[in-house]
Amino acid sequence: MIRPGSPVPGHGHPAETVTSGTGPAGQPRPWEDARRPEAAERVRTLAESNASAVLDIPGTAAGGRGATAPLARAVTVDGDVLLLVPGDSPAARAAARAQDDELTALIEITDVAPVAVPHRIRGRAWLGGWLTPLRGPDRAVALAHFGRRDPDAVFAPGGGAAPDGGPREVLRLEVGEAAVDDLWGAEPVEPDAFAAARPDPVAGHEGDVLQHLASAHDAELRSLCGLLDGPAGALCGERGRVVPLALDRAGLRVRFTEGRARVADVRFDFPEPVRDVTELSRALRLLFEAAERD
């Protein structure tokens, strides 16, 4: 299902090692044969993350309505995306006016690295489908769910007014298509695959862990240079930077840079995918110990 205004990225980005160029998203592409998360898992992880998102309804901007930044979002067991939006937002107004008419919409999610690094945007995901407002018990259940996750963003108990005095509305996007363009490449995702996928179990800890590594473990990160051969190893000199870029259940990705032109990503896979933050801590410790022994 392809609708106007729904981008589907191209396929087949070339692999790169040390390079002065980047892929279409401004990112160096992975060059090693690493354990690759499925595209559906990557989209589902971004959909349930705190990454910034914009909800757009194609064809409505000319009428004075534009994009809306959801206050919160969640994914149901059926793969629908629930969006908490201000009651006076363009999306809330358009959904209310549509009534029984089919209203197509597109969510664009932008994933930004939580540490300062060249080419900081790690990727984007798109979810397109049909938008409807929730009413009655379904709305109440959704508001209660959002309230448990972020009370300050939602409403006062028993009403629809948020602490800032504005009403909140809950919209549901029935996903008809999805796509991702990230550090792994660009791929489409079928709605059934998105619904069946589960988010990465360490995604909620990724930002804190990467920031901690970057601020307090520079020596350990530099020790990873001992595990490298070839062009990437050439960036491990005193003038180079080693920055933790991304983390998931299967491994750690590090960006090696020297100046503004030379950039390389290296993926360090864990022996086995981790299931929680405790296993993640152990996997990182074993990785650094292996680097120090080399």
Side-chain angles (χ1 to χ4, degrees):
M1 180 192 70
I2 302 296
R3 292 181 304 279
S6 181
V8 177
H11 300 270
H13 296 295
E16 297 179 358
T17 52
V18 180
T19 177
S20 59
T22 57
Q27 294 283 11
R29 295 299 183 181
W31 56 270
E32 71 281 54
D33 185 16
R35 187 182 293 123
R36 180 186 299 267
E38 294 291 335
E41 177 183 325
R42 284 142 52 198
V43 175
R44 185 71 181 251
T45 298
L46 285 179
E48 299 198 33
S49 73
N50 292 323
S52 63
V54 173
L55 173 64
D56 186 43
I57 301 172
T60 61
R65 299 184 295 272
T68 297
L71 302 170
R73 62 183 182 270
V75 183
T76 71
V77 294
D78 297 325
D80 294 336
V81 182
L82 303 182
L83 302 162
L84 182 71
V85 300
D88 61 351
S89 63
R93 295 197 302 269
R97 291 170 180 165
Q99 296 182 353
D100 295 331
D101 294 336
E102 185 177 276
L103 183 65
T104 59
L106 179 72
I107 303 172
E108 179 175 340
I109 304 170
T110 302
D111 180 30
V112 180
V115 294
V117 65
H119 314 300
R120 195 168 180 179
I121 296 179
R122 300 185 297 188
R124 290 183 171 86
W126 295 267
L127 295 159
W130 301 275
L131 196 67
T132 56
L134 289 188
R135 298 285 184 254
D138 290 341
R139 179 179 184 275
V141 169
L143 284 173
H145 172 76
F146 285 128
R148 288 190 296 270
R149 295 179 59 178
D150 188 2
D152 292 339
V154 186
F155 63 101
D164 60 8
R168 300 296 193 239
E169 293 297 337
V170 181
L171 307 178
R172 175 173 55 207
L173 183 80
E174 179 187 350
V175 176
E177 60 185 354
V180 63
D181 187 359
D182 60 8
L183 296 168
W184 295 102
E187 299 179 62
V189 174
E190 292 296 324
D192 289 347
F194 172 76
R198 293 295 175 263
D200 189 286
V202 304
H205 306 280
E206 184 198 24
D208 290 340
V209 173
L210 292 181
Q211 289 173 354
H212 177 70
L213 289 175
S215 64
H217 292 279
D218 183 70
E220 287 86 348
L221 290 169
R222 287 188 173 276
S223 73
L224 297 175
C225 292
L227 301 176
L228 302 181
D229 296 317
L235 295 183
C236 287
E238 293 182 359
R239 294 184 301 170
R241 294 182 63 215
V242 184
V243 184
L245 177 66
L247 182 67
D248 57 55
R249 63 189 176 93
L252 171 70
R253 187 188 297 269
V254 176
R255 179 157 293 171
F256 296 85
T257 66
E258 185 179 52
R260 302 183 63 180
R262 305 182 69 205
V263 180
D265 280 1
V266 177
R267 168 82 174 190
F268 298 93
D269 278 347
F270 301 142
E272 297 292 339
V274 301
R275 295 170 293 184
D276 53 39
V277 69
T278 300
E279 292 186 3
L280 173 63
S281 297
R282 181 175 183 273
L284 288 171
R285 184 176 68 253
L286 292 175
L287 172 63
F288 292 134
E289 289 175 354
E292 291 170 359
R293 289 193 303 268
D294 190 81

